Amino acid sequence: MKPIRLPEPPGSPQSMGGLPDIFEGGVYGVIRRAVIIGNGFPASENQSIGLVRALGLSEKQTLYRVTRPTGGINEWLHWLPVSIHKKLYYIISRIYGYSQFLIARRGTKLAPLPRGNGVGIGLSSVLEADVKNIVKMAKETFEKDGPLLVVASGRDTISIASSIKRLASDNVFVVQIQHPRSHLDRFDLVITPQHDYYPLSPHAQEQVPRFLRKWITPHEPPNERVVLTVGALHQVDSAALRSEATAWHDEFAPLPKPLLVVNIGGPTRYCRYSTDLAKQLTASLHNVLTSCGSVRISFSRRTPEKLIKYEATAVVG
């Protein structure tokens, strides 16, 4: 079996004494630590972790997480800002607890309210994103460790990250990943895929008459704070590719080539996964089977189970 080899990336750590080329200009002497503000969703957190990893700060990062109370009435409150949601949940919990006490004295028991903040689902070991604690840490350690890089991603992290910037503007550099939609001046940098930057998105363009789009819709980011990327940030770099190539070598090496790999994600509000979509995808795969050696399909965490079963049966069967 022929081994799979990947070329060393230009400017690799091996050729630079262990530091990524991004630090050639001495940036590493300015930013030496990072805080990640996550929301518990891998799709969001992986973008922040990927950026911090690319900056060479993986060993000096701390993950904080913004978590919402879940279950019961909380499912109706997710449209609220996370801080208001938590305060309202606290009030409801207090009222519920008092009511439970009164009813219990009459001999009737109520089912307990669901516990929030990730308790019971593996999040209890992750630090809660408390603005005051992070600001205090940034200020008290500034003289010794320099400015703190704060990287946040996801809707629920916007208010946390912007508050940290407002309260410790001289001690932090705040990067918000995914466009916050407003008040860009609350962050030092906004990084967002071009398809997520609303004024440039196809949906936004369609709302403007075609003959006016040239003059009304922007073609560039609004200012120097916004960086548009071709796709979403991620953790896949040359080192990760080499590692996975080694791990999957025995699985892929014997397969007839060329090998076609199809990655299937999850539905969105603009693209609902249905049986019709599964049939279209299956038909497309059967059309190319004659021109390739073998096919492998990879599903994401959000791919509906019914679609996974349909594709596995239709393509393999």
Side-chain angles (χ1 to χ4, degrees):
M1 293 182 292
K2 186 178 179 181
I4 301 172
R5 298 185 183 276
L6 294 174
E8 289 293 328
S12 64
Q14 289 78 2
S15 63
M16 299 184 55
L19 288 179
D21 56 358
I22 194 173
F23 296 123
E24 278 188 299
V27 178
Y28 190 73
V30 179
I31 299 293
R32 302 192 296 271
R33 62 212 173 113
V35 158
I36 295 174
I37 311 293
N39 60 1
F41 294 97
S44 295
E45 292 185 357
N46 283 339
Q47 297 188 54
S48 299
I49 295 172
L51 176 60
V52 171
R53 178 177 178 175
L55 293 174
L57 299 173
S58 295
E59 301 300 321
K60 297 184 178 180
Q61 69 178 29
T62 304
L63 173 62
Y64 293 84
R65 196 167 272 168
V66 180
T67 55
R68 289 178 179 266
T70 58
I73 193 173
N74 291 298
E75 304 306 317
W76 296 88
L77 302 178
H78 271 218
W79 58 274
L80 292 171
V82 65
S83 58
I84 297 177
H85 182 176
K86 286 186 174 182
K87 290 177 182 177
L88 185 57
Y89 174 73
Y90 173 78
I91 294 173
I92 294 174
S93 298
R94 300 287 288 186
I95 296 174
Y96 178 88
Y98 180 68
S99 301
Q100 189 178 44
F101 172 75
L102 292 179
I103 295 175
R105 293 190 63 180
R106 297 172 186 164
T108 304
K109 292 185 177 181
L110 293 177
L113 279 175
R115 294 189 294 176
N117 293 336
V119 175
I121 58 173
L123 299 184
S124 57
S125 60
V126 178
L127 296 171
E128 180 69 19
D130 183 272
V131 172
K132 292 182 179 179
N133 288 342
I134 296 175
V135 167
K136 181 180 179 182
M137 181 266 290
K139 290 182 175 181
E140 290 182 349
T141 59
F142 180 77
E143 291 296 327
K144 177 184 177 182
D145 299 320
L148 176 67
L149 174 64
V150 178
V151 182
S153 179
R155 180 173 68 92
D156 286 347
T157 69
I158 293 174
S159 60
I160 302 294
S162 61
S163 295
I164 293 173
K165 177 62 180 177
R166 176 173 54 85
L167 297 173
S169 58
D170 294 333
N171 310 104
V172 298
F173 187 91
V174 177
V175 178
Q176 184 69 38
I177 300 176
Q178 297 181 332
H179 206 287
R181 302 302 188 214
S182 63
H183 301 295
L184 300 182
D185 57 339
R186 297 184 296 177
F187 312 95
D188 292 296
L189 193 66
V190 172
I191 301 177
T192 182
Q194 185 165 346
H195 63 264
D196 278 348
Y197 179 51
Y198 187 74
L200 297 179
S201 67
H203 183 67
Q205 299 280 345
E206 291 173 359
Q207 297 180 24
V208 179
R210 183 177 296 275
F211 70 94
L212 293 177
R213 292 177 190 173
K214 181 178 180 180
W215 294 276
I216 294 180
T217 57
H219 298 278
E220 300 293 339
N223 56 40
E224 67 281 358
R225 296 179 189 270
V226 180
V227 175
L228 298 184
T229 59
V230 176
L233 301 183
H234 51 76
Q235 298 189 61
V236 181
D237 57 13
S238 296
L241 289 174
R242 287 195 299 274
S243 175
E244 292 303 313
T246 301
W248 285 90
H249 175 267
D250 292 342
E251 176 79 16
F252 287 154
L255 296 178
K257 305 298 189 296
L259 170 63
L260 172 64
V261 178
V262 181
N263 296 312
I264 301 179
T268 68
R269 58 182 174 177
Y270 301 115
C271 181
R272 303 294 183 184
Y273 282 13
S274 62
T275 304
D276 289 341
L277 180 62
K279 290 180 179 179
Q280 293 177 23
L281 179 58
T282 301
S284 299
L285 290 176
H286 279 295
N287 288 335
V288 299
L289 281 177
T290 56
S291 62
C292 64
S294 49
V295 176
R296 288 296 181 271
I297 301 177
S298 173
F299 301 99
S300 78
R301 297 181 182 90
R302 299 187 300 112
T303 309
E305 187 67 25
K306 62 180 181 180
L307 186 66
I308 294 176
K309 292 180 179 179
Y310 183 91
E311 291 297 331
T313 302
V315 176
V316 178

